[in-house]
Coordinates of all heavy atoms in Angstrom, one line a residue:
Chain B
E36 N 118.6 169.6 147.0 CA 117.4 170.1 146.4 C 116.3 170.6 147.4 O 115.4 171.3 146.9 CB 116.8 169.0 145.5 CG 116.4 167.7 146.2 CD 116.1 166.6 145.2 OE1 116.3 166.8 144.0 OE2 115.6 165.6 145.6
I51 N 116.4 171.5 137.0 CA 115.7 172.8 137.2 C 116.1 173.7 136.0 O 117.2 173.9 135.7 CB 116.1 173.4 138.5 CG1 115.5 172.6 139.7 CG2 115.7 174.9 138.6 CD1 115.8 173.2 141.1
I72 N 136.8 166.3 130.0 CA 136.3 165.1 130.6 C 135.4 164.4 129.7 O 134.4 165.0 129.2 CB 135.6 165.4 132.0 CG1 136.7 166.0 133.0 CG2 134.9 164.2 132.6 CD1 136.1 166.5 134.3
T74 N 134.0 161.1 130.4 CA 133.2 160.1 131.1 C 132.6 160.7 132.3 O 133.3 161.3 133.2 CB 134.0 158.9 131.6 OG1 134.6 158.3 130.4 CG2 133.1 157.8 132.2
A99 N 127.7 160.9 123.8 CA 127.2 159.6 123.4 C 128.4 158.9 122.9 O 128.8 158.9 121.7 CB 126.2 159.8 122.4
I106 N 127.0 158.2 132.0 CA 126.6 156.9 132.7 C 125.6 157.3 133.8 O 126.1 157.9 134.8 CB 127.8 156.1 133.1 CG1 128.6 155.7 131.9 CG2 127.3 154.9 133.9 CD1 130.0 155.4 132.2
S115 N 120.2 147.4 152.1 CA 119.1 148.0 152.7 C 118.0 148.3 151.7 O 118.2 148.3 150.5 CB 119.5 149.4 153.3 OG 119.4 150.4 152.4
V157 N 141.9 173.4 137.8 CA 141.7 172.9 139.2 C 142.5 171.6 139.4 O 143.2 171.4 140.4 CB 140.2 172.6 139.5 CG1 140.1 172.4 141.0 CG2 139.4 173.8 139.1
H161 N 145.6 170.8 141.9 CA 145.5 169.6 142.7 C 146.8 168.7 142.6 O 147.3 168.3 143.6 CB 144.3 168.7 142.3 CG 144.1 167.4 143.1 ND1 143.5 167.4 144.3 CD2 144.4 166.2 142.8 CE1 143.5 166.1 144.7 NE2 144.0 165.4 143.8
D167 N 145.2 165.6 148.7 CA 144.3 164.5 148.8 C 143.0 164.9 148.2 O 142.4 164.1 147.5 CB 144.1 164.0 150.2 CG 145.4 163.4 150.8 OD1 146.1 162.7 150.1 OD2 145.7 163.7 152.0
Y183 N 125.6 175.0 154.5 CA 126.7 175.5 153.7 C 128.0 175.2 154.5 O 128.0 174.9 155.7 CB 126.6 177.0 153.4 CG 126.4 177.9 154.6 CD1 127.5 178.6 155.1 CD2 125.2 178.1 155.1 CE1 127.4 179.4 156.2 CE2 125.0 178.9 156.2 CZ 126.1 179.6 156.8 OH 125.9 180.4 157.9
V203 N 127.7 183.1 160.2 CA 128.4 184.3 159.6 C 127.5 185.0 158.6 O 127.9 185.6 157.6 CB 129.7 183.8 158.8 CG1 130.7 183.4 159.9 CG2 129.4 182.6 157.9
A229 N 134.9 154.6 155.4 CA 133.6 155.1 156.0 C 132.6 154.0 156.2 O 131.9 153.9 157.2 CB 133.1 156.2 155.1
H232 N 133.6 152.0 159.2 CA 133.3 152.6 160.5 C 131.9 153.1 160.7 O 131.6 153.7 161.7 CB 134.3 153.8 160.6 CG 135.7 153.4 160.8 ND1 136.6 153.2 159.7 CD2 136.4 153.1 161.9 CE1 137.8 152.8 160.2 NE2 137.7 152.8 161.5
L242 N 135.6 165.2 156.4 CA 136.4 166.4 156.2 C 136.8 167.1 157.5 O 137.9 167.3 157.8 CB 135.6 167.4 155.3 CG 135.3 166.9 153.8 CD1 134.4 167.8 153.1 CD2 136.6 166.6 153.1
Y252 N 143.1 171.0 150.1 CA 143.5 172.3 149.6 C 142.3 173.0 149.0 O 141.3 172.4 148.6 CB 144.5 172.2 148.5 CG 145.9 172.1 149.0 CD1 146.4 170.9 149.5 CD2 146.7 173.2 149.1 CE1 147.7 170.8 150.1 CE2 148.0 173.1 149.7 CZ 148.5 171.9 150.1 OH 149.7 171.9 150.7
L276 N 121.2 187.6 134.6 CA 121.5 187.3 133.2 C 121.2 188.4 132.3 O 121.6 188.4 131.1 CB 120.8 186.0 132.7 CG 121.1 184.7 133.4 CD1 120.2 183.6 133.0 CD2 122.6 184.3 133.2
N283 N 128.0 187.6 129.0 CA 129.2 187.3 128.2 C 130.1 186.3 128.9 O 130.7 185.4 128.2 CB 130.0 188.6 128.0 CG 129.4 189.4 126.9 OD1 128.6 188.9 126.1 ND2 129.9 190.7 126.8
T293 N 123.1 172.1 125.7 CA 121.8 171.7 126.3 C 121.1 170.9 125.3 O 121.5 170.8 124.1 CB 121.0 173.0 126.7 OG1 119.8 172.5 127.4 CG2 120.5 173.8 125.5
K294 N 120.0 170.3 125.7 CA 119.2 169.5 124.8 C 118.5 170.4 123.8 O 118.0 171.4 124.1 CB 118.1 168.8 125.6 CG 117.2 167.9 124.8 CD 116.0 167.4 125.6 CE 115.2 166.5 124.6 NZ 113.9 166.2 125.3
L329 N 112.0 184.7 129.2 CA 111.0 183.8 128.7 C 111.7 182.6 128.2 O 112.7 182.6 127.4 CB 110.3 184.5 127.5 CG 109.6 185.8 127.7 CD1 108.8 186.2 126.5 CD2 108.8 185.9 128.9
V335 N 102.9 185.2 124.7 CA 102.4 186.4 125.4 C 101.4 187.1 124.5 O 101.8 187.6 123.5 CB 103.6 187.4 125.8 CG1 103.0 188.6 126.5 CG2 104.6 186.7 126.6
D349 N 106.6 176.8 127.5 CA 105.2 176.6 127.1 C 104.1 177.2 128.0 O 103.0 176.8 127.9 CB 104.9 175.1 126.9 CG 105.8 174.5 125.9 OD1 106.1 175.2 124.9 OD2 106.2 173.3 126.0
N366 N 104.4 175.0 131.5 CA 103.0 174.7 131.1 C 102.0 175.4 132.0 O 101.0 174.8 132.3 CB 102.7 173.2 131.1 CG 103.5 172.5 130.0 OD1 103.5 172.9 128.9 ND2 104.3 171.5 130.4
M390 N 96.8 176.5 136.4 CA 96.0 177.4 135.6 C 95.4 178.4 136.5 O 94.8 178.1 137.5 CB 95.0 176.6 134.9 CG 94.3 177.3 133.7 SD 93.1 176.3 133.0 CE 94.0 175.4 131.8

Side-chain angles (χ1 to χ4, degrees):
Chain B
E36 60 192 9
I51 289 179
I72 295 175
T74 302
I106 296 156
S115 91
V157 188
H161 177 82
D167 292 323
Y183 57 98
V203 289
H232 290 91
L242 297 176
Y252 276 83
L276 295 176
N283 280 348
T293 188
K294 182 190 178 189
L329 305 190
V335 179
D349 296 329
N366 296 308
M390 196 181 270

